[in-house]
Amino acid sequence: MGAHSIQPFQPVVSPPASAIAGWMTNANPPLPHAAMAQGPPGLVQPPNTAAFLKHPRTPTSAPGMDYQTADSEHLMKRMRMGQTDEVSFSGATHPPNIYSQDDIPKSVVRTLSQGSNIMSLDFHPVHQTILLVGTNVGDIAIWEVGSRERIVHRTFKVWEIGTCTVPLQAALMKDATISVNRCLWSPDGSIFGIAFSKHIVQIYAFNINGELRQPLEIDAHVGGVNDIAFSHPNKSLSIITCGDDKTIKVWDATTGQKQYTFEGHDAPVYSVCPHYKESIQFIFSTAIDGKIKAWLYDCLGSRVDYDAPGRWCTTMAYSADGTRLFSCGTSKDGESHLVEWNETEGAIKRTYSGFRKRSLGVVQFDTTKNRFLAAGDEFMIKFWDMDNINILTTTDADGGLPASPRLRFNREGSLLAVTTSDNGIKILANADGQRLVRVLESRAFEGTRVTSQQINANVKAPIVNALGAVSNVSSPIAATPELTDRTLPVVSMSSLAAMDNNRAADIKPKISEDSEKIKCWKLADIVDSAHLKALRLPDPVTTSSKVVRLLYTNSGLAVLALGSNAIHKLWKWTRNERNPSGKSTTSVAPQLWQPANGILMTNETSDSNPEEATACIALSKNDSYVMSASGGKVSLFNMMTFKVMTTFMAPPPAATFLAFHPQDNNIIAIGMEDSSIQIYNVRVDEVKTKLKGHQKKITGLAFSQSLTVLVSSGADAQLCMWSIDGWDKKKSRFIQAPASRTAPLVGDTKVQFHNDQTHLLVVHESQLAIYDSKLECLRSWSPRDALPAPISSAVYSCDGLLVYAGFCDGAVGVFEADSLRLRCRIALTAYMSSSIPSSGPVYPLVIAAHPSEPNQIALGMSDGAVNVVEPSDADSKWGAAPPQENGSLPRITSNPASSNSQASEPPPR
């Protein structure tokens, strides 16, 4: 089953009809209504439905469990008598939706960098800005999206390995990797459940202070647990799971005792959807062969056996009020289907149009507010009005989405969480959501704590719209003191009132206050090791080679360096008591890793001095392969064995820069020493096209998936923009020399797209600069008194909020990404021991930013050392943000959409 995420289903309110009875009592295949002729045929009930009712495949049930026996028998009696008292949904029984497109959350207001591929996400049912996330490495996290704070982070571990079954222990011994298949809050948000790709379900108890308890760990299924849900079949909370072993199981949420096992599917069960009508509780389930079944909480087997459109991976969800049933699925051929069902007839009522003919992955969907449907497809989010089969609107969320992004609305429909291709999350908001987030991020006020739920409940009140009329919200806030949250912002009601009163005041005092803040602000200057945490990575082999290329692995578990001697070095952190996450840290030294055969990962070199060659390197998204060159052929290495898989592109000319195509890992853009760029297809070992526009060697390449362009930079200090579609040159521009330098500039120029996929960081020894999508320079910074030496390297932080720059005197500067204002200066003496001898000047030749920790960097030094640097325990961030000056440039919004996004992962099989 592998990687997939099944979107959670909304809490429901029971309508007065037992619609499932209609599905179960129709012994003959229904005829589709004329109005539905445009969609695929309806669910076809098998002719042996009566056999399903009389001779079911008997499931097992825990002794003593007798849930809703009378209700079940009453339903069965109505079924046998053929009585149906349902209201047909095939006619115009639903009033038309009254909506505005402004109700749809489409504006990006937050970006979060998780660091691992996100498999599932779910908003808290009460606190509207708390988001639960599960990843492909088994990590879970809880984010307060209003404050961008990750209030909980847990890596996977088995809590009681001794109580696990032999198959699970064997599976973990064979392969310790594990993924989250689904994470989900309970209806009241007091607990949440995690379904893992191997056997396990873990249940956490959660309180609003961010504290977790571990009440239940269930060895639930043989193989993967593909979905989890909650229900109340007997007024007590139960957990429903399904798995690769083709079963659905029901567990007591308090004790973990198994209550029911439902058997009948012939393939792994992909998803479950519990629901109820009147007092009748039931569960829909779907398997990867496309079969839909329905179960009551009894021992009488499945009540229906239908084929879902596409006959592969399908999820089902009800509208918020529980009256309308939808499903979304994708076939093995990539055909996606979003439909509304007629429950009473088991037929498809409506088929929504607008999907890509061959979706790249299993399309995920969600519903909100009985109005809208949303699905992730074609690198965007598509929205439908429930009563209209045509797409209502779309958004690409400013770019950077994977082919089939996962998504989740909060309960009020004001926020939408969407996964990005660089292991991040974008939070989209409508007007109500934007007001909610603005209030939550305002941490400048002191006083009464206000929770996200309280603010959300009053989001349309004058307090939110005008930051005044405090009396309008004081009552509801006072009425719910138990919802206070230490992680949520502090807002003073008196301060808000004063703020409203000051609106008419003269602006001059405000300018004066800002001036005083600017005068009082002091640049953080870190000069000794007591004010930061630094670790020189262990290396028993001392060489005089420089570190010319440096990368974190995408998982954040290792650092890879390429020396000027063409030898790679890989440091890996391991999980242990001191480092339970296993991620890179300055607190624990990693291991300089080498395979058992002692082989070194060494590039081919040219006949000339390899120390003078331009080295280049690129890492596959799954960290399994590295592509690298040091003046000779390009080599593809296996990262586990260090063996060369293949070589290509023999010089001359030599490769000088490598970049994977964002949509196809088999296509590589290769910058060359002769100033050309070759678009090379690894699969067929062929150069597809050659781009010419530079006068000197290529020193930088950056793809933007949202702009569908490749930007190149060269030693001629020129930028060129190429269209990915057709590879024609759209524009070019030479970077401008600062006032202190003579034009034209020459020398290596590097480029990196910001997470928003629109703004571009341009790095030259003479300047840092931010360019827009038209290659217009928005702002720049040049070495000056604070940092006078030439710039050696620079990179965005993983969240896009900072720029780290290295200088040829050994200093490191930390800049605000939106304004390029310097917020912190780190001296060489602070991160490097003075006792280490050096034959020449030592400085960082290259900087690497951690993929999920925005305040951690690695420095590749001119003396061959690699240093990992973090703020001290007393300072969680680097320095303090410079005060905003009057007339400052607009802020660049951080969006975790990778500038190096790779092709999307294949759907589960």
Side-chain angles (χ1 to χ4, degrees), residues 104-142:
I104 296 174
K106 291 192 294 183
S107 300
V108 178
V109 295
R110 285 288 181 275
T111 58
L112 311 172
S113 180
Q114 178 62 34
S116 302
N117 189 16
I118 295 164
M119 308 305 297
S120 181
L121 61 174
D122 189 26
F123 274 105
H124 195 280
V126 177
H127 302 284
Q128 297 295 299
T129 57
I130 291 181
L131 181 66
L132 173 65
V133 171
T135 78
N136 68 329
V137 294
D139 289 359
I140 60 168
I142 299 177

mmCIF file of all heavy atoms in Angstrom, residues 104-142:
data_model
loop_
_atom_site.group_PDB
_atom_site.id
_atom_site.type_symbol
_atom_site.label_atom_id
_atom_site.label_comp_id
_atom_site.label_asym_id
_atom_site.label_seq_id
_atom_site.Cartn_x
_atom_site.Cartn_y
_atom_site.Cartn_z
ATOM 1 N N ILE A 104 -14.114 30.786 -0.239
ATOM 2 C CA ILE A 104 -13.130 29.729 -0.432
ATOM 3 C C ILE A 104 -11.761 30.217 0.027
ATOM 4 O O ILE A 104 -11.304 31.275 -0.398
ATOM 5 C CB ILE A 104 -13.069 29.316 -1.914
ATOM 6 C CG1 ILE A 104 -14.406 28.721 -2.352
ATOM 7 C CG2 ILE A 104 -11.945 28.320 -2.151
ATOM 8 C CD1 ILE A 104 -14.477 28.410 -3.827
ATOM 9 N N PRO A 105 -11.081 29.473 0.894
ATOM 10 C CA PRO A 105 -9.732 29.894 1.319
ATOM 11 C C PRO A 105 -8.719 29.700 0.187
ATOM 12 O O PRO A 105 -8.404 28.577 -0.185
ATOM 13 C CB PRO A 105 -9.427 28.986 2.513
ATOM 14 C CG PRO A 105 -10.346 27.818 2.381
ATOM 15 C CD PRO A 105 -11.534 28.268 1.605
ATOM 16 N N LYS A 106 -8.214 30.816 -0.347
ATOM 17 C CA LYS A 106 -7.275 30.746 -1.469
ATOM 18 C C LYS A 106 -6.017 31.578 -1.252
ATOM 19 O O LYS A 106 -5.047 31.427 -1.992
ATOM 20 C CB LYS A 106 -7.953 31.196 -2.768
ATOM 21 C CG LYS A 106 -9.015 30.243 -3.279
ATOM 22 C CD LYS A 106 -9.442 30.567 -4.705
ATOM 23 C CE LYS A 106 -10.136 31.894 -4.793
ATOM 24 N NZ LYS A 106 -10.624 32.176 -6.165
ATOM 25 N N SER A 107 -6.008 32.461 -0.257
ATOM 26 C CA SER A 107 -4.846 33.318 -0.021
ATOM 27 C C SER A 107 -3.858 32.620 0.909
ATOM 28 O O SER A 107 -4.230 32.142 1.987
ATOM 29 C CB SER A 107 -5.269 34.649 0.607
ATOM 30 O OG SER A 107 -6.153 35.345 -0.250
ATOM 31 N N VAL A 108 -2.598 32.534 0.494
ATOM 32 C CA VAL A 108 -1.570 31.894 1.320
ATOM 33 C C VAL A 108 -1.203 32.837 2.468
ATOM 34 O O VAL A 108 -0.732 33.940 2.255
ATOM 35 C CB VAL A 108 -0.324 31.562 0.486
ATOM 36 C CG1 VAL A 108 0.758 30.949 1.367
ATOM 37 C CG2 VAL A 108 -0.676 30.613 -0.663
ATOM 38 N N VAL A 109 -1.434 32.375 3.699
ATOM 39 C CA VAL A 109 -1.150 33.208 4.871
ATOM 40 C C VAL A 109 -0.054 32.624 5.760
ATOM 41 O O VAL A 109 0.474 33.320 6.617
ATOM 42 C CB VAL A 109 -2.424 33.429 5.717
ATOM 43 C CG1 VAL A 109 -3.457 34.234 4.944
ATOM 44 C CG2 VAL A 109 -3.021 32.097 6.175
ATOM 45 N N ARG A 110 0.261 31.365 5.582
ATOM 46 C CA ARG A 110 1.282 30.733 6.403
ATOM 47 C C ARG A 110 2.012 29.685 5.574
ATOM 48 O O ARG A 110 1.447 29.058 4.684
ATOM 49 C CB ARG A 110 0.661 30.019 7.620
ATOM 50 C CG ARG A 110 0.207 30.953 8.724
ATOM 51 C CD ARG A 110 1.406 31.531 9.450
ATOM 52 N NE ARG A 110 0.994 32.398 10.512
ATOM 53 C CZ ARG A 110 0.700 33.689 10.360
ATOM 54 N NH1 ARG A 110 0.772 34.259 9.172
ATOM 55 N NH2 ARG A 110 0.354 34.436 11.401
ATOM 56 N N THR A 111 3.265 29.484 5.908
ATOM 57 C CA THR A 111 4.020 28.361 5.362
ATOM 58 C C THR A 111 4.752 27.692 6.510
ATOM 59 O O THR A 111 5.296 28.350 7.386
ATOM 60 C CB THR A 111 5.041 28.828 4.312
ATOM 61 O OG1 THR A 111 5.924 29.773 4.909
ATOM 62 C CG2 THR A 111 4.362 29.460 3.124
ATOM 63 N N LEU A 112 4.734 26.372 6.520
ATOM 64 C CA LEU A 112 5.356 25.591 7.580
ATOM 65 C C LEU A 112 6.289 24.582 6.930
ATOM 66 O O LEU A 112 5.939 23.967 5.919
ATOM 67 C CB LEU A 112 4.291 24.847 8.405
ATOM 68 C CG LEU A 112 3.100 25.677 8.892
ATOM 69 C CD1 LEU A 112 2.046 24.777 9.514
ATOM 70 C CD2 LEU A 112 3.550 26.733 9.881
ATOM 71 N N SER A 113 7.454 24.399 7.490
ATOM 72 C CA SER A 113 8.428 23.458 6.947
ATOM 73 C C SER A 113 8.521 22.258 7.871
ATOM 74 O O SER A 113 9.060 22.352 8.969
ATOM 75 C CB SER A 113 9.800 24.129 6.804
ATOM 76 O OG SER A 113 10.748 23.231 6.291
ATOM 77 N N GLN A 114 7.956 21.137 7.442
ATOM 78 C CA GLN A 114 7.947 19.946 8.276
ATOM 79 C C GLN A 114 9.265 19.186 8.194
ATOM 80 O O GLN A 114 9.733 18.628 9.167
ATOM 81 C CB GLN A 114 6.795 19.025 7.858
ATOM 82 C CG GLN A 114 6.721 17.728 8.640
ATOM 83 C CD GLN A 114 6.490 17.943 10.125
ATOM 84 O OE1 GLN A 114 5.814 18.872 10.535
ATOM 85 N NE2 GLN A 114 7.066 17.079 10.956
ATOM 86 N N GLY A 115 9.856 19.118 7.009
ATOM 87 C CA GLY A 115 11.143 18.459 6.860
ATOM 88 C C GLY A 115 11.079 17.051 6.330
ATOM 89 O O GLY A 115 12.094 16.499 5.896
ATOM 90 N N SER A 116 9.917 16.422 6.370
ATOM 91 C CA SER A 116 9.716 15.095 5.796
ATOM 92 C C SER A 116 8.433 15.116 4.987
ATOM 93 O O SER A 116 7.563 15.962 5.213
ATOM 94 C CB SER A 116 9.616 14.018 6.889
ATOM 95 O OG SER A 116 10.779 14.023 7.695
ATOM 96 N N ASN A 117 8.328 14.183 4.064
ATOM 97 C CA ASN A 117 7.164 14.132 3.186
ATOM 98 C C ASN A 117 5.893 13.904 3.997
ATOM 99 O O ASN A 117 5.791 12.937 4.743
ATOM 100 C CB ASN A 117 7.355 13.011 2.159
ATOM 101 C CG ASN A 117 6.289 13.033 1.091
ATOM 102 O OD1 ASN A 117 5.586 14.012 0.912
ATOM 103 N ND2 ASN A 117 6.162 11.931 0.378
ATOM 104 N N ILE A 118 4.911 14.777 3.840
ATOM 105 C CA ILE A 118 3.708 14.746 4.668
ATOM 106 C C ILE A 118 2.694 13.793 4.041
ATOM 107 O O ILE A 118 2.312 13.946 2.884
ATOM 108 C CB ILE A 118 3.125 16.159 4.824
ATOM 109 C CG1 ILE A 118 4.123 17.027 5.598
ATOM 110 C CG2 ILE A 118 1.781 16.106 5.537
ATOM 111 C CD1 ILE A 118 3.868 18.496 5.492
ATOM 112 N N MET A 119 2.246 12.816 4.829
ATOM 113 C CA MET A 119 1.334 11.796 4.345
ATOM 114 C C MET A 119 -0.108 12.053 4.749
ATOM 115 O O MET A 119 -1.027 11.580 4.097
ATOM 116 C CB MET A 119 1.762 10.422 4.887
ATOM 117 C CG MET A 119 3.224 10.090 4.633
ATOM 118 S SD MET A 119 3.676 10.197 2.904
ATOM 119 C CE MET A 119 2.634 8.928 2.221
ATOM 120 N N SER A 120 -0.323 12.771 5.841
ATOM 121 C CA SER A 120 -1.682 12.979 6.334
ATOM 122 C C SER A 120 -1.698 14.206 7.230
ATOM 123 O O SER A 120 -0.701 14.512 7.890
ATOM 124 C CB SER A 120 -2.148 11.739 7.122
ATOM 125 O OG SER A 120 -3.469 11.893 7.600
ATOM 126 N N LEU A 121 -2.836 14.911 7.239
ATOM 127 C CA LEU A 121 -2.957 16.077 8.101
ATOM 128 C C LEU A 121 -4.411 16.274 8.471
ATOM 129 O O LEU A 121 -5.316 15.906 7.725
ATOM 130 C CB LEU A 121 -2.366 17.324 7.443
ATOM 131 C CG LEU A 121 -2.884 17.892 6.127
ATOM 132 C CD1 LEU A 121 -2.185 19.210 5.821
ATOM 133 C CD2 LEU A 121 -2.675 16.974 4.957
ATOM 134 N N ASP A 122 -4.646 16.891 9.657
ATOM 135 C CA ASP A 122 -6.004 17.041 10.172
ATOM 136 C C ASP A 122 -6.052 18.197 11.157
ATOM 137 O O ASP A 122 -5.246 18.248 12.092
ATOM 138 C CB ASP A 122 -6.440 15.745 10.867
ATOM 139 C CG ASP A 122 -7.920 15.752 11.226
ATOM 140 O OD1 ASP A 122 -8.699 16.450 10.556
ATOM 141 O OD2 ASP A 122 -8.298 15.062 12.196
ATOM 142 N N PHE A 123 -6.979 19.133 10.945
ATOM 143 C CA PHE A 123 -7.175 20.233 11.888
ATOM 144 C C PHE A 123 -7.937 19.753 13.125
ATOM 145 O O PHE A 123 -8.810 18.870 13.046
ATOM 146 C CB PHE A 123 -7.966 21.363 11.228
ATOM 147 C CG PHE A 123 -7.127 22.338 10.447
ATOM 148 C CD1 PHE A 123 -7.128 22.303 9.064
ATOM 149 C CD2 PHE A 123 -6.351 23.284 11.090
ATOM 150 C CE1 PHE A 123 -6.365 23.200 8.335
ATOM 151 C CE2 PHE A 123 -5.581 24.180 10.381
ATOM 152 C CZ PHE A 123 -5.584 24.148 8.991
ATOM 153 N N HIS A 124 -7.611 20.363 14.251
ATOM 154 C CA HIS A 124 -8.309 20.084 15.508
ATOM 155 C C HIS A 124 -9.781 20.458 15.352
ATOM 156 O O HIS A 124 -10.111 21.490 14.757
ATOM 157 C CB HIS A 124 -7.669 20.896 16.646
ATOM 158 C CG HIS A 124 -8.044 20.435 18.009
ATOM 159 N ND1 HIS A 124 -9.242 20.789 18.596
ATOM 160 C CD2 HIS A 124 -7.395 19.655 18.926
ATOM 161 C CE1 HIS A 124 -9.301 20.258 19.808
ATOM 162 N NE2 HIS A 124 -8.191 19.563 20.024
ATOM 163 N N PRO A 125 -10.700 19.652 15.889
ATOM 164 C CA PRO A 125 -12.129 19.952 15.704
ATOM 165 C C PRO A 125 -12.625 21.148 16.493
ATOM 166 O O PRO A 125 -13.687 21.699 16.175
ATOM 167 C CB PRO A 125 -12.813 18.668 16.181
ATOM 168 C CG PRO A 125 -11.840 18.054 17.133
ATOM 169 C CD PRO A 125 -10.485 18.379 16.592
ATOM 170 N N VAL A 126 -11.887 21.588 17.517
ATOM 171 C CA VAL A 126 -12.323 22.719 18.338
ATOM 172 C C VAL A 126 -11.424 23.932 18.114
ATOM 173 O O VAL A 126 -11.905 25.025 17.814
ATOM 174 C CB VAL A 126 -12.336 22.331 19.835
ATOM 175 C CG1 VAL A 126 -12.721 23.532 20.697
ATOM 176 C CG2 VAL A 126 -13.292 21.166 20.073
ATOM 177 N N HIS A 127 -10.142 23.753 18.248
ATOM 178 C CA HIS A 127 -9.184 24.849 18.103
ATOM 179 C C HIS A 127 -8.793 24.957 16.631
ATOM 180 O O HIS A 127 -8.045 24.143 16.105
ATOM 181 C CB HIS A 127 -7.976 24.622 19.006
ATOM 182 C CG HIS A 127 -8.355 24.498 20.443
ATOM 183 N ND1 HIS A 127 -8.694 25.581 21.228
ATOM 184 C CD2 HIS A 127 -8.503 23.408 21.235
ATOM 185 C CE1 HIS A 127 -9.012 25.170 22.438
ATOM 186 N NE2 HIS A 127 -8.905 23.856 22.467
ATOM 187 N N GLN A 128 -9.304 25.964 15.977
ATOM 188 C CA GLN A 128 -9.339 26.018 14.521
ATOM 189 C C GLN A 128 -7.982 26.171 13.840
ATOM 190 O O GLN A 128 -7.879 25.997 12.638
ATOM 191 C CB GLN A 128 -10.254 27.159 14.081
ATOM 192 C CG GLN A 128 -11.691 26.983 14.494
ATOM 193 C CD GLN A 128 -12.326 25.780 13.802
ATOM 194 O OE1 GLN A 128 -12.407 25.735 12.590
ATOM 195 N NE2 GLN A 128 -12.747 24.808 14.580
ATOM 196 N N THR A 129 -6.946 26.518 14.595
ATOM 197 C CA THR A 129 -5.635 26.721 13.976
ATOM 198 C C THR A 129 -4.600 25.697 14.424
ATOM 199 O O THR A 129 -3.418 25.866 14.168
ATOM 200 C CB THR A 129 -5.106 28.139 14.284
ATOM 201 O OG1 THR A 129 -5.046 28.310 15.707
ATOM 202 C CG2 THR A 129 -5.993 29.207 13.677
ATOM 203 N N ILE A 130 -5.029 24.649 15.088
ATOM 204 C CA ILE A 130 -4.116 23.587 15.503
ATOM 205 C C ILE A 130 -4.181 22.465 14.481
ATOM 206 O O ILE A 130 -5.256 21.927 14.195
ATOM 207 C CB ILE A 130 -4.449 23.081 16.913
ATOM 208 C CG1 ILE A 130 -4.128 24.180 17.939
ATOM 209 C CG2 ILE A 130 -3.677 21.818 17.243
ATOM 210 C CD1 ILE A 130 -4.387 23.782 19.368
ATOM 211 N N LEU A 131 -3.023 22.108 13.927
ATOM 212 C CA LEU A 131 -2.952 21.164 12.814
ATOM 213 C C LEU A 131 -2.067 19.976 13.182
ATOM 214 O O LEU A 131 -0.922 20.143 13.614
ATOM 215 C CB LEU A 131 -2.377 21.863 11.575
ATOM 216 C CG LEU A 131 -2.247 21.021 10.301
ATOM 217 C CD1 LEU A 131 -3.621 20.626 9.779
ATOM 218 C CD2 LEU A 131 -1.471 21.787 9.241
ATOM 219 N N LEU A 132 -2.604 18.787 12.999
ATOM 220 C CA LEU A 132 -1.881 17.529 13.230
ATOM 221 C C LEU A 132 -1.313 17.040 11.906
ATOM 222 O O LEU A 132 -1.996 17.047 10.880
ATOM 223 C CB LEU A 132 -2.841 16.497 13.821
ATOM 224 C CG LEU A 132 -2.334 15.063 13.997
ATOM 225 C CD1 LEU A 132 -1.213 14.999 15.015
ATOM 226 C CD2 LEU A 132 -3.501 14.147 14.406
ATOM 227 N N VAL A 133 -0.053 16.585 11.935
ATOM 228 C CA VAL A 133 0.645 16.184 10.712
ATOM 229 C C VAL A 133 1.360 14.861 10.955
ATOM 230 O O VAL A 133 1.944 14.639 12.026
ATOM 231 C CB VAL A 133 1.676 17.265 10.296
ATOM 232 C CG1 VAL A 133 2.560 16.765 9.173
ATOM 233 C CG2 VAL A 133 0.970 18.540 9.887
ATOM 234 N N GLY A 134 1.336 13.962 9.956
ATOM 235 C CA GLY A 134 2.106 12.724 9.989
ATOM 236 C C GLY A 134 2.939 12.602 8.729
ATOM 237 O O GLY A 134 2.514 13.031 7.653
ATOM 238 N N THR A 135 4.140 12.015 8.821
ATOM 239 C CA THR A 135 5.087 12.022 7.703
ATOM 240 C C THR A 135 5.513 10.619 7.289
ATOM 241 O O THR A 135 5.200 9.630 7.946
ATOM 242 C CB THR A 135 6.351 12.834 8.051
ATOM 243 O OG1 THR A 135 7.210 12.034 8.884
ATOM 244 C CG2 THR A 135 6.005 14.128 8.773
ATOM 245 N N ASN A 136 6.274 10.573 6.202
ATOM 246 C CA ASN A 136 6.716 9.301 5.636
ATOM 247 C C ASN A 136 7.861 8.655 6.417
ATOM 248 O O ASN A 136 8.263 7.544 6.087
ATOM 249 C CB ASN A 136 7.141 9.492 4.179
ATOM 250 C CG ASN A 136 8.407 10.319 4.036
ATOM 251 O OD1 ASN A 136 8.678 11.196 4.861
ATOM 252 N ND2 ASN A 136 9.188 10.053 3.018
ATOM 253 N N VAL A 137 8.398 9.318 7.417
ATOM 254 C CA VAL A 137 9.418 8.691 8.264
ATOM 255 C C VAL A 137 8.867 8.366 9.646
ATOM 256 O O VAL A 137 9.618 8.062 10.572
ATOM 257 C CB VAL A 137 10.673 9.586 8.392
ATOM 258 C CG1 VAL A 137 11.358 9.723 7.059
ATOM 259 C CG2 VAL A 137 10.335 10.958 8.974
ATOM 260 N N GLY A 138 7.542 8.408 9.791
ATOM 261 C CA GLY A 138 6.906 8.050 11.049
ATOM 262 C C GLY A 138 6.791 9.172 12.053
ATOM 263 O O GLY A 138 6.261 8.974 13.146
ATOM 264 N N ASP A 139 7.277 10.371 11.714
ATOM 265 C CA ASP A 139 7.176 11.512 12.625
ATOM 266 C C ASP A 139 5.746 12.030 12.675
ATOM 267 O O ASP A 139 5.011 11.962 11.690
ATOM 268 C CB ASP A 139 8.078 12.654 12.167
ATOM 269 C CG ASP A 139 9.550 12.346 12.354
ATOM 270 O OD1 ASP A 139 9.873 11.265 12.862
ATOM 271 O OD2 ASP A 139 10.370 13.192 11.988
ATOM 272 N N ILE A 140 5.376 12.595 13.817
ATOM 273 C CA ILE A 140 4.134 13.359 13.929
ATOM 274 C C ILE A 140 4.472 14.734 14.494
ATOM 275 O O ILE A 140 5.468 14.901 15.203
ATOM 276 C CB ILE A 140 3.087 12.661 14.819
ATOM 277 C CG1 ILE A 140 3.623 12.464 16.250
ATOM 278 C CG2 ILE A 140 2.628 11.361 14.210
ATOM 279 C CD1 ILE A 140 2.567 12.059 17.245
ATOM 280 N N ALA A 141 3.656 15.701 14.148
ATOM 281 C CA ALA A 141 3.853 17.057 14.649
ATOM 282 C C ALA A 141 2.497 17.711 14.825
ATOM 283 O O ALA A 141 1.525 17.351 14.154
ATOM 284 C CB ALA A 141 4.715 17.879 13.692
ATOM 285 N N ILE A 142 2.441 18.653 15.753
ATOM 286 C CA ILE A 142 1.249 19.489 15.928
ATOM 287 C C ILE A 142 1.699 20.934 15.807
ATOM 288 O O ILE A 142 2.601 21.377 16.515
ATOM 289 C CB ILE A 142 0.565 19.236 17.289
ATOM 290 C CG1 ILE A 142 0.112 17.771 17.394
ATOM 291 C CG2 ILE A 142 -0.625 20.171 17.463
ATOM 292 C CD1 ILE A 142 -0.499 17.418 18.736
#
